[in-house]
Amino acid sequence: MLPKDMKVIMEYLDGEEAASSMSLIRRLYFKAFAKAAFNLWTRNEELVTLQWKNVSFQGNGSLEPYISFNLVFRKTNKDPAAGKCLISPWGTSHALITLPPQPDDPEIDVYPSMREWITHLQDKMQRPLQPEDYVFPALASTDLLKFGEPMSRTGIENILDRLTDASGVMEGRTGKFTTHCFRRGGAQYRFMFAEHKWSMKAVKWWGGWSAGDDVGTVMRYLLDELSAYEEGFSDIMMKSRNKDRHESFMGGSRSP
């Protein structure tokens, strides 16, 4: 799931077809969830159990606005050598990540989508969110929220499958997106395709990989699935070839 895929899905969610066939709560829910997952590189179980006490919006006046996420119980964030491990008053390890608005890239800009979702969620609850409330509570097929229960993997995948089909994001490709597509896609984008590419050190930190994970392990994670999704290259020299397909190292442009 790269930004171009996110763009297709987000434009669909903002369009008339989705508005007529999908509830507002489901659209706002998924926009916030997908953008958060893409930016934070969280595993599904980490994001669905995110509580309000671990999210905050900051910045007013002369301060740069941002949204912060306190990711508790990350799979590998208990490694003191990783340089990101903090110890809370309750003795739990956590990683604090801050994200500013990204108005130039609205398809992955989590700041406004999360604000809109939280406002809608509080309206549904008819009260302000409490520290222990789930940011992404379970959502029944009837669109009723189960406030004390986190969303299941199946619940997220059902919405993702529906949007994949309806938006046509996979047109011309095979396979399907899973909940892990946001973590892997976000990492691939920042390391290989973004205008300002991140270093391997930054990627390991942001993704919560242990300091003990060698470069080869992380590179295989970044590249193996990307290779699996690439199409054939028999027409690579044809002018009519879709130039958006991955065919150069680190996402570089083709030579004229």
Side-chain angles (χ1 to χ4, degrees), residues 94-189:
H94 56 111
L96 185 65
I97 288 180
T98 59
L99 294 170
Q102 303 173 70
D104 292 337
D105 301 296
E107 64 274 8
I108 60 173
D109 188 0
V110 68
Y111 189 91
S113 294
M114 185 64 77
R115 271 200 177 279
E116 192 173 14
W117 166 241
I118 294 300
T119 298
H120 191 76
L121 179 58
Q122 291 181 136
D123 287 345
K124 287 291 184 180
M125 299 179 78
Q126 298 185 339
R127 63 168 174 81
L129 285 173
Q130 300 301 308
E132 303 298 322
D133 286 330
Y134 290 113
V135 174
F136 298 107
L139 184 62
S141 58
T142 57
D143 291 335
L144 291 177
L145 289 165
K146 303 176 182 180
F147 299 118
E149 181 182 333
M151 186 67 146
S152 67
R153 176 184 293 274
T154 300
I156 293 295
E157 287 184 341
N158 286 342
I159 301 176
L160 180 58
D161 287 345
R162 177 180 174 183
L163 287 173
T164 298
D165 292 339
S167 67
V169 67
M170 287 293 289
E171 185 176 350
R173 293 185 286 177
T174 58
K176 62 175 290 184
F177 289 122
T178 68
T179 56
H180 201 70
C181 69
F182 302 110
R183 173 174 168 83
R184 195 181 295 263
Q188 289 172 346
Y189 170 66

Side-chain angles (χ1 to χ4, degrees), residues 239-250:
K239 292 181 180 180
S240 59
R241 178 181 170 83
N242 182 353
K243 296 180 176 61
D244 197 35
R245 290 158 66 177
H246 309 306
E247 56 191 47
S248 57
F249 182 65
M250 298 293 282

